Amino acid sequence: MRKIYLLLLISSAFCLNACKKGPQQTAENTYKEWPVVLETGTAVPLEGNAFITQPVNGGTEQIVAGGLYKWNNAGSVISTYFKLGQPGKLNLAIQASVVTGSSTIKVSVDGKSFNITLKGATATVYPVASIDVAAAGYVKVDLQGLSKEGSTFAEVSNIMIGGSATTSGLKYASVSTDNQFYWSRRGPSVHLNYTAPAGNIEWLYNEVTVPQGQDNIGSYYMSNGFNGGYFGMQVKSATERWMLFSVWDADNGDKTVLTSKGAGVTDGNFGGEGTGGQSYMVYKWITGNTYKFLTQIKPDGNGNTLYSSWFFAPELNAWKFMATFKRPSTSTYVGGINSFLENFAVENGYMGRKALYNNMWVRNTSGVWTEISTAKFTTDPTGATEQRMDFKGGVENGQFFLQNGAFFNDFVADNTSLSRTPTGQQPTVNLSTLPLN
């Protein structure tokens, strides 16, 4: 944790009065009116831990390198999150500067609100309050503008915290190198790494259900993951959803090529986290409905491997063909079977998402179906290094599940082994009649 010295602690008499006020009452204070003492504290940077949780049309505020900038709209709410390891006293301040004149803002935490006056273009630590926190877990600090003399309320770099509640088990996004603040704001990705039977596996089948209210924009519910690619469904915007099937380029750099695709499927290439061929279908999948995902992987006998995928749309009672890709310089069957859940919209990293994964089966080259009922739950470096702790996976009502975001407290440890009761419901799909267009 980064440690700095800050002027923070308020008098016990004021704290006693402030703590008695209801959630809608405020304490009017300016920096010079606070009795203070010198204390070692922690700076929680907005750059890696804050979100505009209530954006407003016309608002220009944004979280960028250095913190909150261009904060102009009084209706906007900016929220910063950190996790306390124990109950106790929480001393709170903000580090901010005002470009022009003075501003008054509202700082809200734990159901209490405090109005603070800011002034001066030099970054200054402004004490806010000292409150008693009853339990360990995530704390949310909200900022909202009340009045300003200039065009913006303030530029805010850090939420400053101290007190007994912060002395043990404090967690927040603290690593800024290698673009980690970006990944921390996206939130921890979570995975199910399945235990597959021995032998050459040609077909991979899985079922995914997204519960109602767990379909926030930026969510990718990946069902059929394998060495070389993945297949699942996404929320692209408030009005658009995708089925997405992608295959990476060969390890030696040779390009994956599309050999065929289904009706209504768009194909192209992807970059960023590797490169490869991509196909997607704009399809308005529905929360609460269960979607079946089927992938075939087999060598073509000429030093390449063919990857094909379909999904079953319950609304249409039909299988839909996505695409077939040829990956050169590769000769393989299904391997590295996994599912994952991630957020790809960084500004929505504070929102939650969840998916249920059930009834996974594989079929070998001899035509034998085998159910997969064990997996290992893992998270990415954002979770594994405890930059974010809102991740979990497990078994719910006999189904595997993955969940992340929303800053919940009951996380599940990385590398946890999971097992569900087998369903015994072998896929009924007729592989010989699957559509190819």
Side-chain angles (χ1 to χ4, degrees):
M1 294 185 298
R2 282 192 297 155
K3 297 288 186 180
I4 69 168
Y5 285 99
L6 66 145
L7 294 173
L8 186 60
L9 215 54
I10 64 174
S11 68
S12 59
F14 173 79
C15 179
L16 210 56
N17 292 332
C19 292
K20 291 180 180 178
K21 297 189 177 187
Q24 302 305 316
Q25 295 176 295
T26 60
E28 299 285 354
N29 293 278
T30 61
Y31 175 68
K32 65 181 181 180
E33 295 170 341
W34 291 67
V36 293
V37 297
L38 196 64
E39 181 191 86
T40 300
T42 300
V44 178
L46 270 68
E47 181 182 348
N49 298 276
F51 302 86
I52 303 169
T53 53
Q54 185 176 304
V56 175
N57 290 335
T60 61
E61 44 277 339
Q62 54 187 294
I63 306 296
V64 296
L68 171 63
Y69 286 86
K70 298 183 179 180
W71 180 14
N72 76 327
N73 200 301
S76 299
V77 175
I78 300 91
S79 303
T80 303
Y81 300 83
F82 52 88
K83 188 174 186 179
L84 299 177
Q86 59 190 19
K89 189 71 68 179
L90 174 64
N91 301 322
L92 184 68
I94 68 169
Q95 188 175 37
S97 61
V98 181
V99 176
T100 304
S102 64
S103 300
T104 300
I105 68 169
K106 180 171 68 174
V107 183
S108 301
V109 59
D110 197 30
K112 304 173 183 67
S113 295
F114 307 89
N115 294 356
I116 308 299
T117 298
L118 315 175
K119 186 174 183 178
T122 300
T124 302
V125 174
Y126 294 87
V128 175
S130 182
I131 65 173
D132 292 314
V133 178
Y138 269 108
V139 172
K140 178 167 69 82
V141 177
D142 289 338
L143 305 180
Q144 188 168 10
L146 297 178
S147 64
K148 61 184 188 300
E149 294 178 351
S151 59
T152 60
F153 288 101
E155 295 178 352
V156 185
S157 56
N158 297 291
I159 298 294
M160 318 299 298
I161 57 175
S164 60
T166 68
T167 57
S168 177
L170 177 64
K171 306 295 182 184
Y172 63 97
S174 59
V175 178
S176 61
T177 56
D178 297 325
N179 210 26
Q180 181 56 56
F181 277 162
Y182 165 81
W183 295 107
S184 295
R185 293 186 72 234
R186 273 183 52 159
S189 298
V190 284
H191 329 100
L192 294 169
N193 300 290
Y194 300 104
T195 306
N200 291 328
I201 298 172
E202 183 178 344
W203 294 89
L204 171 61
Y205 172 94
N206 203 6
E207 299 176 4
V208 180
T209 308
V210 177
Q212 187 174 1
Q214 297 294 325
D215 55 340
N216 284 303
I217 295 170
S219 301
Y220 186 14
Y221 313 88
M222 199 285 292
S223 171
N224 292 9
F226 45 87
N227 291 336
Y230 38 75
F231 179 30
M233 54 192 187
Q234 296 183 334
V235 185
K236 298 295 290 186
S237 72
T239 58
E240 186 172 314
R241 300 178 178 221
W242 284 9
M243 295 293 183
L244 178 70
F245 170 47
S246 298
V247 178
W248 295 327
D249 291 332
D251 293 340
N252 67 359
D254 288 348
K255 298 299 181 183
T256 292
V257 296
L258 180 82
T259 64
S260 61
K261 65 178 182 178
V265 173
T266 300
D267 68 282
N269 299 302
F270 68 87
E273 300 174 43
T275 61
Q278 180 189 81
S279 64
Y280 68 87
M281 180 187 295
V282 177
Y283 185 81
K284 195 172 183 178
W285 55 266
I286 301 170
T287 57
N289 285 359
T290 297
Y291 296 87
K292 303 173 183 179
F293 293 85
L294 183 67
T295 298
Q296 182 189 34
I297 301 175
K298 64 177 183 178
D300 69 354
N302 297 311
N304 313 297
T305 296
L306 300 176
Y307 299 74
S308 305
S309 283
W310 297 257
F311 74 93
F312 184 82
E315 304 82 11
L316 305 175
N317 193 33
W319 285 95
K320 305 291 289 183
F321 177 53
M322 289 295 297
T324 295
F325 288 101
K326 181 171 69 174
R327 190 179 192 223
S329 307
T330 307
S331 183
T332 188
Y333 289 96
V334 175
I337 304 172
N338 68 93
S339 300
F340 67 70
L341 173 63
E342 71 173 13
N343 165 54
F344 56 84
V346 63
E347 300 302 332
N348 291 344
Y350 65 96
M351 297 178 179
R353 56 204 57 79
K354 181 179 181 179
L356 304 174
Y357 298 82
N358 192 42
N359 204 32
M360 169 170 275
W361 291 73
V362 294
R363 186 179 189 266
N364 64 20
T365 52
S366 299
V368 177
W369 285 100
T370 302
E371 186 170 5
I372 294 180
S373 57
T374 58
K376 179 170 285 188
F377 167 77
T378 61
T379 183
D380 67 356
T382 296
T385 60
E386 300 183 342
Q387 301 296 290
R388 290 273 295 264
M389 300 294 290
D390 48 344
F391 56 84
K392 63 181 176 179
V395 178
E396 182 178 288
N397 297 323
Q399 304 176 77
F400 290 126
F401 77 89
L402 292 173
Q403 187 172 355
N404 63 9
F407 295 97
F408 55 79
N409 292 316
D410 55 334
F411 74 96
V412 171
D414 190 25
N415 288 309
T416 294
S417 295
L418 304 173
S419 178
R420 65 171 178 82
T421 302
T423 67
Q425 299 173 2
Q426 179 178 312
T428 57
V429 55
N430 187 333
L431 302 179
S432 63
T433 60
L434 285 169
L436 295 173
N437 53 42

